[in-house]
Amino acid sequence: MIHWCARTYHSSVPLKAATAESMCACQPGTYRSGNNCESCPPGSYCVGDNFIKTCPVNSNTLLEEGGKGLATDCKCEKGYFRALETGLCKVCDAGYF
């Protein structure tokens, strides 16, 4: 059996059992750009499926930070908090921050 994915890549769902290098996915926190794995840009996260996902509304990663791999790496913006029931950032009540 030939292993198509070089060390730079990994094979993951939905790209499991890659049969060509073009099907290989980058590690979480990175996305594929041509033949390279690039750090996920600030304001987004990359779970290892080769796509950049934008942080949910009212959340962001730190401007100087990239390479995030989970939606929870996106922190609520000032004046918002993460609601336990939905995981989304909601505006703080008056007098709270």
Side-chain angles (χ1 to χ4, degrees), residues 5-47:
C5 299
R7 283 189 206 189
T8 305
Y9 307 111
H10 74 282
S11 185
S12 67
V13 176
L15 305 172
K16 193 170 187 172
T19 57
E21 188 173 346
S22 62
M23 298 172 68
C24 297
C26 293
Q27 298 292 331
T30 62
Y31 70 98
R32 189 168 179 151
S33 177
N35 290 327
N36 299 314
C37 290
E38 303 289 339
S39 183
C40 202
S44 60
Y45 62 102
C46 302
V47 297

Side-chain angles (χ1 to χ4, degrees), residues 15-83:
L15 305 172
K16 193 170 187 172
T19 57
E21 188 173 346
S22 62
M23 298 172 68
C24 297
C26 293
Q27 298 292 331
T30 62
Y31 70 98
R32 189 168 179 151
S33 177
N35 290 327
N36 299 314
C37 290
E38 303 289 339
S39 183
C40 202
S44 60
Y45 62 102
C46 302
V47 297
D49 62 1
N50 290 338
F51 296 101
I52 300 171
K53 294 170 176 51
T54 303
C55 285
V57 175
N58 302 318
S59 68
N60 213 331
T61 57
L62 297 176
L63 291 178
E64 64 277 1
E65 282 188 358
K68 300 302 181 184
L70 300 170
T72 54
D73 289 327
C74 299
K75 305 302 179 197
C76 293
E77 295 175 352
K78 186 176 180 179
Y80 292 83
F81 71 98
R82 189 168 310 277

